[in-house]
Amino acid sequence: MKIKHKLTDEVLLTIVGDSLQGANLQGANLKEANLQYANLQGANLRGVNLKGANLRGTNLQGANLQGANLQYANLPAEVIRIDGLRWDVTIFQDWITIGCQHHHIDEWDKFTDDEIAEMHDDALEFWKENKQKLFTIANLTK
């Protein structure tokens, strides 16, 4: 299988077998692709067109989905996307992505105020305001 860039048609990745683990698919057009049960763990899916793609049973642990088009995608029920806050939030399994920061829920829980403050000027205020809510939502997906 070949995955091509949606604008340039350049081949980004040729896949042999069924694993896309760690693949850089940034900008790829995977519209209506059947990725059921694919291993996309750690893959860069930033800006990927996944409109109508079948992602049921797909391993997306650690995948970067920032800016991905997931309209009409068949997603695992555990994916939660929260827009409209200072930063967009995506919660999937035990992972939380806030803006460009993507960490396991255990890592988020262990971050000190200083570590959060180093992420962005407004991060500590955001974190103090939303931490408990985000953990409550994340725990519902387990």
Side-chain angles (χ1 to χ4, degrees):
M1 174 169 68
K2 291 184 181 182
I3 297 179
K4 297 181 179 183
H5 190 281
K6 68 181 177 182
L7 300 175
T8 66
D9 210 33
E10 170 192 359
V11 175
L12 299 172
L13 181 66
T14 301
I15 301 163
V16 179
D18 62 354
S19 178
L20 295 172
Q21 184 172 355
N24 181 359
L25 301 174
Q26 186 169 349
N29 183 357
L30 299 177
K31 182 178 178 182
E32 298 179 11
N34 183 358
L35 298 170
Q36 188 169 14
Y37 302 114
N39 181 359
L40 296 172
Q41 183 175 0
N44 180 3
L45 300 170
R46 184 178 181 149
V48 172
N49 182 1
L50 292 166
K51 183 175 181 178
N54 182 1
L55 299 172
R56 214 33 144 175
T58 301
N59 180 356
L60 293 168
Q61 183 175 347
N64 179 357
L65 293 166
Q66 185 174 353
N69 179 357
L70 297 168
Q71 185 177 19
Y72 308 119
N74 184 4
L75 294 168
E78 309 79 46
V79 175
I80 297 174
R81 173 103 176 148
I82 304 169
D83 297 321
L85 299 174
R86 170 68 169 91
W87 292 282
D88 293 338
V89 176
T90 303
I91 300 170
F92 178 72
Q93 293 173 342
D94 293 332
W95 294 85
I96 300 175
T97 302
I98 302 172
C100 65
Q101 294 290 327
H102 177 75
H103 303 282
H104 193 275
I105 190 170
D106 293 339
E107 291 177 81
W108 281 112
D109 195 33
K110 292 177 185 173
F111 283 134
T112 65
D113 285 353
D114 289 340
E115 289 172 319
I116 294 289
E118 288 176 16
M119 293 178 185
H120 190 277
D121 291 344
D122 300 328
L124 185 57
E125 180 183 348
F126 175 91
W127 188 237
K128 286 182 175 182
E129 199 173 291
N130 295 291
K131 177 180 179 177
Q132 286 311 118
K133 297 175 215 168
L134 296 177
F135 279 166
T136 299
I137 295 167
N139 286 323
L140 293 173
T141 68
K142 291 183 177 183

